Every structure is written in structure tokens, then in C-alpha cells.
Amino acid sequence: MSAPNKQYDPVEVASLSPGEITRMRDEALAAVAAAGTLDELKAARLAHAGDRSPLRLANAEIGALPPGARAEAGKRIGTTMRAVSQALAARQQVLEEERDQRVLIEEAVDVTLPWDHRPPGARHPVTTVGERLADVFVSMGYEIAEGPEIEAEWYNFDALNIPPDHPAREMQDTLFVAGPDGGRSGMVLRTHTSPVQIRAMLTRPLPLYVVSPGRCYRNEAQDATHSPVFHQIECLAVDEGLTMADLRGAVQAFVDAMFGEGLRTRLRPDYFPFTEPSADVSMECHVCRGASTRPGGPACRVCRSQGWIELAGCGMVNPRVLIACGIDPDRYSGFAFGLGIERALMVRHGVTDIRDTLEGDVRFSRAFGVEA
Ligand code: PHE
């Protein structure tokens, strides 16, 4: 910047000449018009309207003019600078609108496209309930025992004191595995988890405490309460001096774990070839707690107003079964109980159709929570 002059010096303030200012304006307007993007416009603004732009620098020279010439030069520069900044603002608006249009097109989301999100699955409640029950027994010192689902008839029946002509074989609606010639192969789809007892007694050292959850099969038509495929969980203890009192305790621990503490259990005589004596286990109805059986009491759908719900079969291991497994029945005694997991689940959660537990619909499973 030049110091204020006493005399008008046309050379030093050439930048303020009308021709020069017009040239600066034309240059600025051309740059604004040529800016094709907001970034280019920003550069044009800096070059032609910024602090170091020719117009601003010329403006700073006004003080160097003789006082009489300043007003006119100032007006000329001011008009020019306003024109440039108006051109900048107008171009800015055009370019922003263009950008917004482009963004709308480029970033459009087609809401009709298929969803690529995969909802997490849920473990099946039959699995999680089976595992939880097994865990309860593991915490009491039991071991988990497993066996094959295609089982030798000997394990599924003979060793359990169910001879070939015994009606129990028909009672359990067995699915027999055909041999190569189409006849019997000696193998069946296991009808219960009790053959795992035999495998455990034959292979494990005594005393023996095992729990066996697993899938079972029966030749039954599927309806609301029956299914050809279902799950049982079975508990077996063989030790010296075990009595039915121990059986009762184990049954009670099971019911406490599955339904919460405080529900009474009841054993009533029953018959199973592999236990003697045998009993069925009922528990006090966890919904009405017996209220439905009192005169004038409310009806209960869960126990059909019986006050009790039948849950399991149980008994003291038949000495014949112990002998079949090479165990001395004079020294050892055992107890066992077994029940259907689906049935326990249905009772506990008020599921009225066993098919809901079988169809694998995640909407059913998810209601039980997504357990790891
Ligand atoms: N296995 C028997 C059944 O499927 C249940 C049971 C198990 C009964 C153990 C007594 C002892 O019917």
C-alpha cells in the first residue's frame, strides 16, 4: 500500500482507473460463471473477493488519491464489489441447488428392496429346558449320559425286563428298523431314554448317578398331545442303601428346579417292567395350587381341576435289571425316573398344542428368550 500522496500520481493508482476496475470485474464475473462446483466457486471467491483480491487491494489504494477523486473511485469500486458478491451469491445458490438435486438422486434408498438383515435365531426351548434340568442334576453330582437314538432292541427292551412277547413293546408303539431283507434288524428307534440307564450301568463304575436327556420316537399319530418324535429326560442312581425316600428327594429337586420351590409332589402306584415298585409322579398344580378342587373353587384348565398334574414315571430299579447289568442286587439298589420334556414345557408355559414345540417356528422359540 502506498502512503497518502500530497499530489495526484496517476502511475501509482493505475489500479483505480475505470478501465482497470472494469477489467477486474469482468475477470471476477467470468470466474464466477465458470465455477462448476462449490469448491471452484470457493476458489473464485477467494481470488476475486478475498482480502488479497485485486479489487480489495485497489480499494485499499483509495487513500492515495487526491481527496477530490476519492469519492468517485470509491463509488466505482463499491459498485463493482457489490456486483461481484451478488454474482457469487447467485452462483452459490445455483450450485447448491444442483448439489441437493444430485444428492437426492445419488443417495436415494429403494425401500422396496429385499431386506438383507438376518434376524438372530433362538435356541429351542426343548433344548434349553433339557439343558437346564440336566444342569440341576449335574450340580447335585450327577453325570450326563447319552446313548444312540437307533438302539438295539436288547437295550431298549430286553435288558429293561421287557421280554419279546411283553405287551409293553406294543404299549410303546415301537418303530422298528428294517433289516437288509426287509425283516427285523434287531434295532429300533429308541422309545424312551431308559436304554441309556443300561448303557450307563454296564460301562460306568458304581456308585452311579446319571441324568440323560434325549430324543425318543414312537409310532403315534401326531395330535395336540402326541408326537412321534419327542424328548425325555431320565435320572438314574445306583448306590448302596438307596430307598424310595431318596427317589422322592430327587423327584422333589426336579420339580423345584422346573417349577419353582414349594409345590408338593405325590407318588401313586404304577407299573413299569424296569422298576419295582413303580409309581407315577404328580405335582401340585402350579396354577391353582389345588384351589380348583375345593367346593365352589375356580375351574383350572391346567390341571383340569384335579389339583395335581401327572408328570413322570418312576420307581426302584428292578433287581432283574440290575442283574442284567451285572450288578449285585443284594448290595446295590437304584432308583430312576423319566419324563417328557415337551410335556413338562407345555405344563410350565401353558402350551396347549405339542406341535408348537415341534415345528421349529422361531416365533415360538423366541418367546422363551434368546438363551446362549
Ligand atoms: N421310560 C419310561 C417311559 O418312557 C419312564 C420311566 C423312566 C419310568 C424311569 C420309570 C423309571 O414311560
Side-chain angles (χ1 to χ4, degrees), residues 13 68 182 258 262 341:
V13 289
M258 179 85 192
I341 297 179

Side-chain angles (χ1 to χ4, degrees), residues 160 172 191-195 197 216 218 230 232-235 272 274-275 278-279 312-315 335-339:
L160 286 161
Q172 294 205 341
T191 58
H192 50 177
T193 41
S194 300
Q197 290 188 22
C216 307
R218 288 186 195 179
F230 60 100
Q232 286 191 341
I233 184 163
E234 182 134 349
C235 172
F272 298 103
F274 34 91
T275 44
S278 302
C314 73
F335 66 76
F337 69 90
L339 70 148

Side-chain angles (χ1 to χ4, degrees), residues 296-312:
C300 180
R301 274 196 302 164
V302 174
C303 64
R304 293 202 194 84
S305 301
Q306 298 297 300
W308 294 92
I309 298 170
E310 245 181 78
L311 207 60

Side-chain angles (χ1 to χ4, degrees), residues 143-206:
E143 289 173 30
I144 292 181
E146 287 182 324
E149 292 175 23
I150 300 175
E151 183 59 284
E153 282 190 45
W154 188 81
Y155 286 102
N156 197 80
F157 294 123
D158 302 74
L160 286 161
N161 192 36
I162 311 174
D165 56 350
H166 197 286
R169 295 212 186 192
E170 305 312 319
M171 217 163 75
Q172 294 205 341
D173 296 313
T174 310
L175 287 161
F176 293 93
V177 177
D181 56 356
R184 292 250 183 122
S185 64
M187 305 294 282
V188 297
L189 295 185
R190 69 177 177 197
T191 58
H192 50 177
T193 41
S194 300
V196 185
Q197 290 188 22
I198 304 299
R199 290 178 174 274
M201 286 190 275
L202 285 171
T203 55
R204 294 179 189 233
L206 298 174

Side-chain angles (χ1 to χ4, degrees), residues 7 13 98 208 240 324:
Q7 267 133 33
V13 289
E98 274 178 25
L208 180 73
E240 290 180 48

Side-chain angles (χ1 to χ4, degrees), residues 254-269:
F254 172 85
V255 171
D256 288 351
M258 179 85 192
F259 293 93
E261 288 181 20
L263 292 168
R264 289 180 298 155
T265 55
R266 173 182 82 175
L267 302 192
R268 288 190 308 179

